[in-house]
Amino acid sequence: MSRVYPYPLIAKEGWPFIIGSLVLSILTAIWCGWWSLPLWALTVFVVQFFRDPARDIPTGPEDVLSPADGRIVVLEKTTDPYRGVNALKISVFMNVFNVHSNRCPIDGKVERVDYFKGSFLNASMDKASVQNERNAVLAVTKTGRPVTFVQVAGLVARRILCYVNAHDILHRGNRYGLIRFGSRVDVYLPEDATALVAIGDKVRASSTVLATLPLHAPPAATSAPENGANSVDNSTEQADMVKEATDRAALAAQHVLSQE
């Protein structure tokens, strides 16, 4: 486990909102007294929304970590629409009370980043994955396994922030983006991945392992020798058949000659 997290406790994207709500709360308290309480509650909400705490980070080389806090709403075999291949899809839904800092689920490299404009449906709905505004990061692990993770805007979320680009190196647990005010993250894994979560499970960014990726099986080293052995066996069998046919022909010739 590692707690190294080179970011402040409050995400930098939240400071304009925090300062704005704090100033408004103070001014309202001066002029209206107790009527400012709803604004103070709003300030507390904004602060908790943009919190960005350090987390324990599993270091298993085959582990795929959760990229967000929230609840598992999708776990199914489907098609990765960004790669056009069969995949295991795991979706994490974030409500407004979850940490919204998005963190890298793998160690690897970004192949490309695709942004799509779209609607702002409730992010917990299945069709939000293909109809809502979204940002897909297509990456590959150090062992060469493809992983796609997609930030999906929601009913309230209207801004997706992503800070990685093609060819960037990813380190699991590091922050790569943020979605403001309620959303989801879809993760598409190779279909041979083993899920370690279930529908309804609560997960935490960086510290929850969503699935494991088995390493590629090495090519069969015995295939070439086996083929060679088969060739030798076939050649020997053919030679025996030819010898047997020759012997029979010789016996037949001797029989004919003896009758003459």
Side-chain angles (χ1 to χ4, degrees):
M1 298 286 187
S2 171
R3 296 189 67 86
V4 176
Y5 192 59
Y7 303 102
L9 182 61
I10 302 297
K12 62 181 181 180
E13 298 89 349
W15 285 111
F17 296 92
I18 294 172
I19 293 174
S21 60
L22 181 62
V23 170
L24 184 60
S25 299
I26 293 173
L27 293 177
T28 305
I30 293 173
W31 291 99
C32 302
W34 292 105
W35 290 100
S36 66
L37 284 179
L39 291 177
W40 285 109
L42 176 64
T43 301
V44 172
F45 166 77
V46 173
V47 171
Q48 71 84 32
F49 180 88
F50 286 104
R51 68 193 187 281
D52 194 12
R55 296 279 173 77
D56 290 329
I57 303 174
T59 57
E62 300 175 11
D63 292 343
V64 178
L65 310 184
S66 177
D69 282 21
R71 178 172 54 88
I72 302 297
V73 294
V74 175
L75 176 59
E76 64 180 5
K77 291 290 183 71
T78 184
T79 300
D80 180 345
Y82 307 95
R83 297 181 187 269
V85 297
N86 293 333
L88 172 66
K89 178 182 179 181
I90 304 177
S91 296
V92 181
F93 173 74
M94 298 175 280
N95 63 38
V96 294
F97 299 105
N98 291 130
V99 173
H100 275 60
S101 172
N102 299 144
R103 311 190 190 190
C104 300
I106 60 169
D107 290 327
K109 185 176 182 180
V110 178
E111 294 179 314
R112 72 174 196 266
V113 178
D114 294 338
Y115 170 77
F116 303 86
K117 292 183 178 181
S119 305
F120 296 95
L121 304 173
N122 188 329
S124 63
M125 301 171 64
D126 289 342
K127 59 184 178 181
S129 291
V130 293
Q131 295 186 16
N132 279 18
E133 178 179 337
R134 57 202 182 278
N135 187 80
V137 177
L138 284 71
V140 62
T141 68
K142 287 184 175 180
T143 56
R145 308 307 305 275
V147 175
T148 304
F149 37 103
V150 188
Q151 298 166 291
V152 183
L155 185 64
V156 180
R158 298 293 169 125
R159 185 71 189 276
I160 294 175
L161 304 175
C162 181
Y163 301 126
V164 297
N165 300 291
H167 311 303
D168 284 354
I169 301 300
L170 302 177
H171 299 284
R172 67 179 66 201
N174 280 6
R175 208 156 72 85
Y176 81 91
L178 181 142
I179 317 175
R180 291 178 185 164
F181 306 113
S183 47
R184 72 189 273 172
V185 178
D186 296 331
V187 181
Y188 295 92
L189 305 171
E191 60 180 342
D192 61 348
T194 301
L196 300 180
V197 293
I199 297 291
D201 285 356
K202 292 183 178 180
V203 297
R204 288 158 55 91
S206 298
S207 59
T208 300
V209 179
L210 294 183
T212 58
L213 291 175
L215 299 176
H216 280 303
T222 58
S223 59
E226 286 180 356
N227 289 338
N230 289 337
S231 297
V232 171
D233 291 342
N234 290 338
S235 298
T236 303
E237 183 178 355
Q238 291 175 357
D240 291 340
M241 292 175 63
V242 170
K243 184 177 183 300
E244 183 179 356
T246 302
D247 292 342
R248 287 181 179 179
L251 290 174
Q254 290 178 359
H255 180 67
V256 171
L257 291 173
S258 63
Q259 289 181 346
E260 291 179 352

PDB file of all heavy atoms in Angstrom, residues 148-182:
ATOM      1  N   THR A 148     -10.259   1.017 -21.030  1.00  0.00           N
ATOM      2  CA  THR A 148     -10.897   2.281 -21.386  1.00  0.00           C
ATOM      3  C   THR A 148     -11.689   2.770 -20.193  1.00  0.00           C
ATOM      4  O   THR A 148     -12.500   2.017 -19.628  1.00  0.00           O
ATOM      5  CB  THR A 148     -11.849   2.106 -22.587  1.00  0.00           C
ATOM      6  OG1 THR A 148     -11.134   1.540 -23.685  1.00  0.00           O
ATOM      7  CG2 THR A 148     -12.441   3.442 -23.006  1.00  0.00           C
ATOM      8  N   PHE A 149     -11.473   4.018 -19.777  1.00  0.00           N
ATOM      9  CA  PHE A 149     -12.275   4.574 -18.687  1.00  0.00           C
ATOM     10  C   PHE A 149     -12.859   5.903 -19.149  1.00  0.00           C
ATOM     11  O   PHE A 149     -12.185   6.734 -19.748  1.00  0.00           O
ATOM     12  CB  PHE A 149     -11.495   4.708 -17.380  1.00  0.00           C
ATOM     13  CG  PHE A 149     -10.052   5.111 -17.501  1.00  0.00           C
ATOM     14  CD1 PHE A 149      -9.655   6.405 -17.216  1.00  0.00           C
ATOM     15  CD2 PHE A 149      -9.089   4.184 -17.869  1.00  0.00           C
ATOM     16  CE1 PHE A 149      -8.323   6.780 -17.288  1.00  0.00           C
ATOM     17  CE2 PHE A 149      -7.750   4.546 -17.956  1.00  0.00           C
ATOM     18  CZ  PHE A 149      -7.365   5.857 -17.669  1.00  0.00           C
ATOM     19  N   VAL A 150     -14.169   6.047 -18.891  1.00  0.00           N
ATOM     20  CA  VAL A 150     -14.956   7.120 -19.498  1.00  0.00           C
ATOM     21  C   VAL A 150     -15.638   7.955 -18.435  1.00  0.00           C
ATOM     22  O   VAL A 150     -16.415   7.431 -17.617  1.00  0.00           O
ATOM     23  CB  VAL A 150     -16.029   6.535 -20.449  1.00  0.00           C
ATOM     24  CG1 VAL A 150     -16.699   7.661 -21.233  1.00  0.00           C
ATOM     25  CG2 VAL A 150     -15.422   5.504 -21.388  1.00  0.00           C
ATOM     26  N   GLN A 151     -15.369   9.257 -18.427  1.00  0.00           N
ATOM     27  CA  GLN A 151     -16.084  10.191 -17.563  1.00  0.00           C
ATOM     28  C   GLN A 151     -17.400  10.555 -18.247  1.00  0.00           C
ATOM     29  O   GLN A 151     -17.404  10.996 -19.393  1.00  0.00           O
ATOM     30  CB  GLN A 151     -15.261  11.457 -17.340  1.00  0.00           C
ATOM     31  CG  GLN A 151     -13.930  11.229 -16.630  1.00  0.00           C
ATOM     32  CD  GLN A 151     -13.033  12.442 -16.755  1.00  0.00           C
ATOM     33  OE1 GLN A 151     -12.542  12.750 -17.840  1.00  0.00           O
ATOM     34  NE2 GLN A 151     -12.824  13.144 -15.658  1.00  0.00           N
ATOM     35  N   VAL A 152     -18.509  10.377 -17.534  1.00  0.00           N
ATOM     36  CA  VAL A 152     -19.831  10.641 -18.100  1.00  0.00           C
ATOM     37  C   VAL A 152     -20.523  11.722 -17.277  1.00  0.00           C
ATOM     38  O   VAL A 152     -20.673  11.578 -16.059  1.00  0.00           O
ATOM     39  CB  VAL A 152     -20.693   9.366 -18.114  1.00  0.00           C
ATOM     40  CG1 VAL A 152     -22.041   9.644 -18.770  1.00  0.00           C
ATOM     41  CG2 VAL A 152     -19.975   8.237 -18.842  1.00  0.00           C
ATOM     42  N   ALA A 153     -20.942  12.803 -17.932  1.00  0.00           N
ATOM     43  CA  ALA A 153     -21.667  13.868 -17.237  1.00  0.00           C
ATOM     44  C   ALA A 153     -23.042  13.367 -16.818  1.00  0.00           C
ATOM     45  O   ALA A 153     -23.570  12.405 -17.386  1.00  0.00           O
ATOM     46  CB  ALA A 153     -21.802  15.081 -18.145  1.00  0.00           C
ATOM     47  N   GLY A 154     -23.643  14.027 -15.826  1.00  0.00           N
ATOM     48  CA  GLY A 154     -24.936  13.591 -15.319  1.00  0.00           C
ATOM     49  C   GLY A 154     -25.991  14.669 -15.398  1.00  0.00           C
ATOM     50  O   GLY A 154     -25.856  15.655 -16.121  1.00  0.00           O
ATOM     51  N   LEU A 155     -27.054  14.472 -14.625  1.00  0.00           N
ATOM     52  CA  LEU A 155     -28.189  15.387 -14.632  1.00  0.00           C
ATOM     53  C   LEU A 155     -27.796  16.766 -14.118  1.00  0.00           C
ATOM     54  O   LEU A 155     -28.246  17.790 -14.629  1.00  0.00           O
ATOM     55  CB  LEU A 155     -29.325  14.809 -13.768  1.00  0.00           C
ATOM     56  CG  LEU A 155     -30.649  15.565 -13.751  1.00  0.00           C
ATOM     57  CD1 LEU A 155     -31.277  15.558 -15.142  1.00  0.00           C
ATOM     58  CD2 LEU A 155     -31.597  14.943 -12.737  1.00  0.00           C
ATOM     59  N   VAL A 156     -26.947  16.784 -13.092  1.00  0.00           N
ATOM     60  CA  VAL A 156     -26.500  18.046 -12.501  1.00  0.00           C
ATOM     61  C   VAL A 156     -25.107  18.411 -12.991  1.00  0.00           C
ATOM     62  O   VAL A 156     -24.789  19.582 -13.185  1.00  0.00           O
ATOM     63  CB  VAL A 156     -26.513  17.947 -10.958  1.00  0.00           C
ATOM     64  CG1 VAL A 156     -26.056  19.257 -10.331  1.00  0.00           C
ATOM     65  CG2 VAL A 156     -27.916  17.591 -10.468  1.00  0.00           C
ATOM     66  N   ALA A 157     -24.273  17.374 -13.212  1.00  0.00           N
ATOM     67  CA  ALA A 157     -22.902  17.637 -13.678  1.00  0.00           C
ATOM     68  C   ALA A 157     -22.907  18.239 -15.069  1.00  0.00           C
ATOM     69  O   ALA A 157     -23.489  17.685 -15.992  1.00  0.00           O
ATOM     70  CB  ALA A 157     -22.105  16.333 -13.683  1.00  0.00           C
ATOM     71  N   ARG A 158     -22.241  19.356 -15.232  1.00  0.00           N
ATOM     72  CA  ARG A 158     -22.218  20.035 -16.527  1.00  0.00           C
ATOM     73  C   ARG A 158     -20.799  20.365 -16.975  1.00  0.00           C
ATOM     74  O   ARG A 158     -20.622  21.109 -17.925  1.00  0.00           O
ATOM     75  CB  ARG A 158     -23.036  21.335 -16.442  1.00  0.00           C
ATOM     76  CG  ARG A 158     -24.509  21.103 -16.126  1.00  0.00           C
ATOM     77  CD  ARG A 158     -25.207  20.399 -17.263  1.00  0.00           C
ATOM     78  NE  ARG A 158     -26.532  19.933 -16.924  1.00  0.00           N
ATOM     79  CZ  ARG A 158     -27.644  20.246 -17.611  1.00  0.00           C
ATOM     80  NH1 ARG A 158     -27.556  21.041 -18.655  1.00  0.00           N
ATOM     81  NH2 ARG A 158     -28.800  19.762 -17.247  1.00  0.00           N
ATOM     82  N   ARG A 159     -19.819  19.812 -16.311  1.00  0.00           N
ATOM     83  CA  ARG A 159     -18.456  20.121 -16.688  1.00  0.00           C
ATOM     84  C   ARG A 159     -17.547  18.931 -16.416  1.00  0.00           C
ATOM     85  O   ARG A 159     -17.420  18.474 -15.289  1.00  0.00           O
ATOM     86  CB  ARG A 159     -17.956  21.348 -15.908  1.00  0.00           C
ATOM     87  CG  ARG A 159     -16.571  21.812 -16.318  1.00  0.00           C
ATOM     88  CD  ARG A 159     -16.582  22.460 -17.704  1.00  0.00           C
ATOM     89  NE  ARG A 159     -15.246  22.709 -18.185  1.00  0.00           N
ATOM     90  CZ  ARG A 159     -14.517  23.781 -17.878  1.00  0.00           C
ATOM     91  NH1 ARG A 159     -15.011  24.692 -17.057  1.00  0.00           N
ATOM     92  NH2 ARG A 159     -13.316  23.945 -18.376  1.00  0.00           N
ATOM     93  N   ILE A 160     -16.925  18.416 -17.485  1.00  0.00           N
ATOM     94  CA  ILE A 160     -15.964  17.326 -17.361  1.00  0.00           C
ATOM     95  C   ILE A 160     -14.567  17.912 -17.533  1.00  0.00           C
ATOM     96  O   ILE A 160     -14.289  18.614 -18.504  1.00  0.00           O
ATOM     97  CB  ILE A 160     -16.207  16.244 -18.434  1.00  0.00           C
ATOM     98  CG1 ILE A 160     -17.550  15.552 -18.203  1.00  0.00           C
ATOM     99  CG2 ILE A 160     -15.085  15.212 -18.411  1.00  0.00           C
ATOM    100  CD1 ILE A 160     -17.905  14.558 -19.288  1.00  0.00           C
ATOM    101  N   LEU A 161     -13.699  17.611 -16.583  1.00  0.00           N
ATOM    102  CA  LEU A 161     -12.314  18.069 -16.654  1.00  0.00           C
ATOM    103  C   LEU A 161     -11.405  16.850 -16.763  1.00  0.00           C
ATOM    104  O   LEU A 161     -11.518  15.912 -15.972  1.00  0.00           O
ATOM    105  CB  LEU A 161     -11.945  18.883 -15.405  1.00  0.00           C
ATOM    106  CG  LEU A 161     -12.831  20.092 -15.105  1.00  0.00           C
ATOM    107  CD1 LEU A 161     -12.436  20.726 -13.772  1.00  0.00           C
ATOM    108  CD2 LEU A 161     -12.725  21.125 -16.226  1.00  0.00           C
ATOM    109  N   CYS A 162     -10.526  16.843 -17.756  1.00  0.00           N
ATOM    110  CA  CYS A 162      -9.568  15.756 -17.952  1.00  0.00           C
ATOM    111  C   CYS A 162      -8.197  16.359 -18.215  1.00  0.00           C
ATOM    112  O   CYS A 162      -8.058  17.259 -19.057  1.00  0.00           O
ATOM    113  CB  CYS A 162      -9.997  14.866 -19.120  1.00  0.00           C
ATOM    114  SG  CYS A 162      -8.878  13.472 -19.434  1.00  0.00           S
ATOM    115  N   TYR A 163      -7.184  15.867 -17.497  1.00  0.00           N
ATOM    116  CA  TYR A 163      -5.858  16.469 -17.570  1.00  0.00           C
ATOM    117  C   TYR A 163      -4.803  15.560 -18.205  1.00  0.00           C
ATOM    118  O   TYR A 163      -3.607  15.836 -18.088  1.00  0.00           O
ATOM    119  CB  TYR A 163      -5.412  16.874 -16.163  1.00  0.00           C
ATOM    120  CG  TYR A 163      -6.354  17.854 -15.503  1.00  0.00           C
ATOM    121  CD1 TYR A 163      -6.896  17.594 -14.259  1.00  0.00           C
ATOM    122  CD2 TYR A 163      -6.727  19.029 -16.149  1.00  0.00           C
ATOM    123  CE1 TYR A 163      -7.769  18.484 -13.655  1.00  0.00           C
ATOM    124  CE2 TYR A 163      -7.597  19.927 -15.559  1.00  0.00           C
ATOM    125  CZ  TYR A 163      -8.114  19.650 -14.306  1.00  0.00           C
ATOM    126  OH  TYR A 163      -8.990  20.526 -13.720  1.00  0.00           O
ATOM    127  N   VAL A 164      -5.223  14.481 -18.852  1.00  0.00           N
ATOM    128  CA  VAL A 164      -4.248  13.626 -19.529  1.00  0.00           C
ATOM    129  C   VAL A 164      -4.471  13.694 -21.034  1.00  0.00           C
ATOM    130  O   VAL A 164      -5.570  13.976 -21.508  1.00  0.00           O
ATOM    131  CB  VAL A 164      -4.337  12.157 -19.047  1.00  0.00           C
ATOM    132  CG1 VAL A 164      -3.997  12.065 -17.572  1.00  0.00           C
ATOM    133  CG2 VAL A 164      -5.712  11.568 -19.325  1.00  0.00           C
ATOM    134  N   ASN A 165      -3.403  13.434 -21.776  1.00  0.00           N
ATOM    135  CA  ASN A 165      -3.433  13.468 -23.230  1.00  0.00           C
ATOM    136  C   ASN A 165      -2.771  12.222 -23.799  1.00  0.00           C
ATOM    137  O   ASN A 165      -2.156  11.433 -23.063  1.00  0.00           O
ATOM    138  CB  ASN A 165      -2.695  14.727 -23.742  1.00  0.00           C
ATOM    139  CG  ASN A 165      -3.316  16.010 -23.235  1.00  0.00           C
ATOM    140  OD1 ASN A 165      -4.424  16.371 -23.614  1.00  0.00           O
ATOM    141  ND2 ASN A 165      -2.599  16.720 -22.362  1.00  0.00           N
ATOM    142  N   ALA A 166      -2.902  12.039 -25.095  1.00  0.00           N
ATOM    143  CA  ALA A 166      -2.290  10.889 -25.759  1.00  0.00           C
ATOM    144  C   ALA A 166      -0.799  10.830 -25.450  1.00  0.00           C
ATOM    145  O   ALA A 166      -0.117  11.864 -25.438  1.00  0.00           O
ATOM    146  CB  ALA A 166      -2.518  10.970 -27.264  1.00  0.00           C
ATOM    147  N   HIS A 167      -0.308   9.619 -25.179  1.00  0.00           N
ATOM    148  CA  HIS A 167       1.100   9.302 -24.906  1.00  0.00           C
ATOM    149  C   HIS A 167       1.536   9.643 -23.476  1.00  0.00           C
ATOM    150  O   HIS A 167       2.695   9.403 -23.129  1.00  0.00           O
ATOM    151  CB  HIS A 167       2.035  10.007 -25.903  1.00  0.00           C
ATOM    152  CG  HIS A 167       1.638   9.831 -27.332  1.00  0.00           C
ATOM    153  ND1 HIS A 167       1.499   8.591 -27.914  1.00  0.00           N
ATOM    154  CD2 HIS A 167       1.319  10.746 -28.298  1.00  0.00           C
ATOM    155  CE1 HIS A 167       1.125   8.743 -29.182  1.00  0.00           C
ATOM    156  NE2 HIS A 167       1.002  10.026 -29.437  1.00  0.00           N
ATOM    157  N   ASP A 168       0.634  10.199 -22.647  1.00  0.00           N
ATOM    158  CA  ASP A 168       0.989  10.449 -21.251  1.00  0.00           C
ATOM    159  C   ASP A 168       1.147   9.121 -20.507  1.00  0.00           C
ATOM    160  O   ASP A 168       0.472   8.134 -20.814  1.00  0.00           O
ATOM    161  CB  ASP A 168      -0.088  11.275 -20.547  1.00  0.00           C
ATOM    162  CG  ASP A 168      -0.044  12.745 -20.937  1.00  0.00           C
ATOM    163  OD1 ASP A 168       0.885  13.133 -21.660  1.00  0.00           O
ATOM    164  OD2 ASP A 168      -0.951  13.492 -20.515  1.00  0.00           O
ATOM    165  N   ILE A 169       2.041   9.110 -19.522  1.00  0.00           N
ATOM    166  CA  ILE A 169       2.239   7.938 -18.677  1.00  0.00           C
ATOM    167  C   ILE A 169       1.322   8.048 -17.461  1.00  0.00           C
ATOM    168  O   ILE A 169       1.257   9.100 -16.820  1.00  0.00           O
ATOM    169  CB  ILE A 169       3.704   7.817 -18.218  1.00  0.00           C
ATOM    170  CG1 ILE A 169       4.626   7.725 -19.445  1.00  0.00           C
ATOM    171  CG2 ILE A 169       3.878   6.595 -17.324  1.00  0.00           C
ATOM    172  CD1 ILE A 169       4.361   6.544 -20.346  1.00  0.00           C
ATOM    173  N   LEU A 170       0.587   6.963 -17.171  1.00  0.00           N
ATOM    174  CA  LEU A 170      -0.354   6.941 -16.052  1.00  0.00           C
ATOM    175  C   LEU A 170       0.238   6.193 -14.867  1.00  0.00           C
ATOM    176  O   LEU A 170       0.918   5.185 -15.034  1.00  0.00           O
ATOM    177  CB  LEU A 170      -1.654   6.248 -16.467  1.00  0.00           C
ATOM    178  CG  LEU A 170      -2.409   6.834 -17.663  1.00  0.00           C
ATOM    179  CD1 LEU A 170      -3.633   5.982 -17.968  1.00  0.00           C
ATOM    180  CD2 LEU A 170      -2.821   8.278 -17.392  1.00  0.00           C
ATOM    181  N   HIS A 171      -0.044   6.702 -13.681  1.00  0.00           N
ATOM    182  CA  HIS A 171       0.349   6.036 -12.441  1.00  0.00           C
ATOM    183  C   HIS A 171      -0.905   5.855 -11.596  1.00  0.00           C
ATOM    184  O   HIS A 171      -1.610   6.827 -11.311  1.00  0.00           O
ATOM    185  CB  HIS A 171       1.390   6.860 -11.683  1.00  0.00           C
ATOM    186  CG  HIS A 171       2.657   7.084 -12.456  1.00  0.00           C
ATOM    187  ND1 HIS A 171       3.614   6.101 -12.626  1.00  0.00           N
ATOM    188  CD2 HIS A 171       3.109   8.175 -13.143  1.00  0.00           C
ATOM    189  CE1 HIS A 171       4.604   6.578 -13.354  1.00  0.00           C
ATOM    190  NE2 HIS A 171       4.323   7.823 -13.687  1.00  0.00           N
ATOM    191  N   ARG A 172      -1.192   4.617 -11.236  1.00  0.00           N
ATOM    192  CA  ARG A 172      -2.426   4.329 -10.508  1.00  0.00           C
ATOM    193  C   ARG A 172      -2.550   5.193  -9.262  1.00  0.00           C
ATOM    194  O   ARG A 172      -1.580   5.411  -8.536  1.00  0.00           O
ATOM    195  CB  ARG A 172      -2.503   2.847 -10.142  1.00  0.00           C
ATOM    196  CG  ARG A 172      -1.473   2.413  -9.145  1.00  0.00           C
ATOM    197  CD  ARG A 172      -1.631   0.932  -8.821  1.00  0.00           C
ATOM    198  NE  ARG A 172      -1.330   0.118  -9.986  1.00  0.00           N
ATOM    199  CZ  ARG A 172      -1.760  -1.130 -10.139  1.00  0.00           C
ATOM    200  NH1 ARG A 172      -2.523  -1.689  -9.239  1.00  0.00           N
ATOM    201  NH2 ARG A 172      -1.421  -1.824 -11.200  1.00  0.00           N
ATOM    202  N   GLY A 173      -3.763   5.705  -9.050  1.00  0.00           N
ATOM    203  CA  GLY A 173      -4.029   6.541  -7.886  1.00  0.00           C
ATOM    204  C   GLY A 173      -3.819   8.013  -8.116  1.00  0.00           C
ATOM    205  O   GLY A 173      -4.322   8.833  -7.348  1.00  0.00           O
ATOM    206  N   ASN A 174      -3.084   8.384  -9.170  1.00  0.00           N
ATOM    207  CA  ASN A 174      -2.874   9.806  -9.452  1.00  0.00           C
ATOM    208  C   ASN A 174      -4.136  10.410 -10.064  1.00  0.00           C
ATOM    209  O   ASN A 174      -4.866   9.769 -10.803  1.00  0.00           O
ATOM    210  CB  ASN A 174      -1.694  10.004 -10.400  1.00  0.00           C
ATOM    211  CG  ASN A 174      -0.362   9.929  -9.674  1.00  0.00           C
ATOM    212  OD1 ASN A 174      -0.315   9.614  -8.493  1.00  0.00           O
ATOM    213  ND2 ASN A 174       0.716  10.205 -10.383  1.00  0.00           N
ATOM    214  N   ARG A 175      -4.363  11.677  -9.766  1.00  0.00           N
ATOM    215  CA  ARG A 175      -5.558  12.345 -10.242  1.00  0.00           C
ATOM    216  C   ARG A 175      -5.427  12.665 -11.729  1.00  0.00           C
ATOM    217  O   ARG A 175      -4.407  13.175 -12.182  1.00  0.00           O
ATOM    218  CB  ARG A 175      -5.775  13.639  -9.459  1.00  0.00           C
ATOM    219  CG  ARG A 175      -7.218  14.063  -9.358  1.00  0.00           C
ATOM    220  CD  ARG A 175      -7.412  14.951  -8.141  1.00  0.00           C
ATOM    221  NE  ARG A 175      -6.822  16.237  -8.346  1.00  0.00           N
ATOM    222  CZ  ARG A 175      -7.441  17.250  -8.958  1.00  0.00           C
ATOM    223  NH1 ARG A 175      -8.647  17.095  -9.423  1.00  0.00           N
ATOM    224  NH2 ARG A 175      -6.848  18.406  -9.094  1.00  0.00           N
ATOM    225  N   TYR A 176      -6.473  12.356 -12.523  1.00  0.00           N
ATOM    226  CA  TYR A 176      -6.428  12.680 -13.942  1.00  0.00           C
ATOM    227  C   TYR A 176      -7.596  13.557 -14.389  1.00  0.00           C
ATOM    228  O   TYR A 176      -7.629  14.023 -15.525  1.00  0.00           O
ATOM    229  CB  TYR A 176      -6.390  11.403 -14.786  1.00  0.00           C
ATOM    230  CG  TYR A 176      -7.730  10.731 -15.014  1.00  0.00           C
ATOM    231  CD1 TYR A 176      -8.500  11.060 -16.131  1.00  0.00           C
ATOM    232  CD2 TYR A 176      -8.225   9.785 -14.133  1.00  0.00           C
ATOM    233  CE1 TYR A 176      -9.731  10.444 -16.348  1.00  0.00           C
ATOM    234  CE2 TYR A 176      -9.433   9.168 -14.350  1.00  0.00           C
ATOM    235  CZ  TYR A 176     -10.186   9.505 -15.456  1.00  0.00           C
ATOM    236  OH  TYR A 176     -11.407   8.910 -15.671  1.00  0.00           O
ATOM    237  N   GLY A 177      -8.565  13.822 -13.497  1.00  0.00           N
ATOM    238  CA  GLY A 177      -9.681  14.655 -13.894  1.00  0.00           C
ATOM    239  C   GLY A 177     -10.698  14.820 -12.786  1.00  0.00           C
ATOM    240  O   GLY A 177     -10.488  14.376 -11.639  1.00  0.00           O
ATOM    241  N   LEU A 178     -11.814  15.471 -13.135  1.00  0.00           N
ATOM    242  CA  LEU A 178     -12.868  15.735 -12.165  1.00  0.00           C
ATOM    243  C   LEU A 178     -14.153  16.022 -12.932  1.00  0.00           C
ATOM    244  O   LEU A 178     -14.127  16.587 -14.026  1.00  0.00           O
ATOM    245  CB  LEU A 178     -12.483  16.924 -11.274  1.00  0.00           C
ATOM    246  CG  LEU A 178     -13.445  17.347 -10.167  1.00  0.00           C
ATOM    247  CD1 LEU A 178     -12.667  17.763  -8.919  1.00  0.00           C
ATOM    248  CD2 LEU A 178     -14.304  18.521 -10.629  1.00  0.00           C
ATOM    249  N   ILE A 179     -15.306  15.602 -12.358  1.00  0.00           N
ATOM    250  CA  ILE A 179     -16.606  15.924 -12.943  1.00  0.00           C
ATOM    251  C   ILE A 179     -17.399  16.665 -11.880  1.00  0.00           C
ATOM    252  O   ILE A 179     -17.548  16.172 -10.754  1.00  0.00           O
ATOM    253  CB  ILE A 179     -17.379  14.664 -13.382  1.00  0.00           C
ATOM    254  CG1 ILE A 179     -16.463  13.681 -14.094  1.00  0.00           C
ATOM    255  CG2 ILE A 179     -18.551  15.039 -14.274  1.00  0.00           C
ATOM    256  CD1 ILE A 179     -17.124  12.370 -14.457  1.00  0.00           C
ATOM    257  N   ARG A 180     -17.928  17.813 -12.230  1.00  0.00           N
ATOM    258  CA  ARG A 180     -18.600  18.639 -11.229  1.00  0.00           C
ATOM    259  C   ARG A 180     -20.051  18.233 -11.006  1.00  0.00           C
ATOM    260  O   ARG A 180     -20.830  18.190 -11.952  1.00  0.00           O
ATOM    261  CB  ARG A 180     -18.548  20.117 -11.645  1.00  0.00           C
ATOM    262  CG  ARG A 180     -17.152  20.716 -11.585  1.00  0.00           C
ATOM    263  CD  ARG A 180     -17.183  22.152 -12.050  1.00  0.00           C
ATOM    264  NE  ARG A 180     -15.830  22.699 -12.115  1.00  0.00           N
ATOM    265  CZ  ARG A 180     -15.515  23.815 -12.765  1.00  0.00           C
ATOM    266  NH1 ARG A 180     -16.462  24.487 -13.401  1.00  0.00           N
ATOM    267  NH2 ARG A 180     -14.289  24.248 -12.783  1.00  0.00           N
ATOM    268  N   PHE A 181     -20.360  17.897  -9.751  1.00  0.00           N
ATOM    269  CA  PHE A 181     -21.733  17.770  -9.236  1.00  0.00           C
ATOM    270  C   PHE A 181     -22.528  16.594  -9.791  1.00  0.00           C
ATOM    271  O   PHE A 181     -23.560  16.763 -10.436  1.00  0.00           O
ATOM    272  CB  PHE A 181     -22.498  19.075  -9.447  1.00  0.00           C
ATOM    273  CG  PHE A 181     -21.798  20.271  -8.873  1.00  0.00           C
ATOM    274  CD1 PHE A 181     -21.294  21.247  -9.703  1.00  0.00           C
ATOM    275  CD2 PHE A 181     -21.614  20.382  -7.511  1.00  0.00           C
ATOM    276  CE1 PHE A 181     -20.629  22.344  -9.173  1.00  0.00           C
ATOM    277  CE2 PHE A 181     -20.946  21.478  -6.974  1.00  0.00           C
ATOM    278  CZ  PHE A 181     -20.447  22.462  -7.807  1.00  0.00           C
ATOM    279  N   GLY A 182     -22.080  15.378  -9.519  1.00  0.00           N
ATOM    280  CA  GLY A 182     -22.862  14.175  -9.800  1.00  0.00           C
ATOM    281  C   GLY A 182     -22.651  13.604 -11.180  1.00  0.00           C
ATOM    282  O   GLY A 182     -22.881  14.284 -12.166  1.00  0.00           O
TER     283      GLY A 182
END
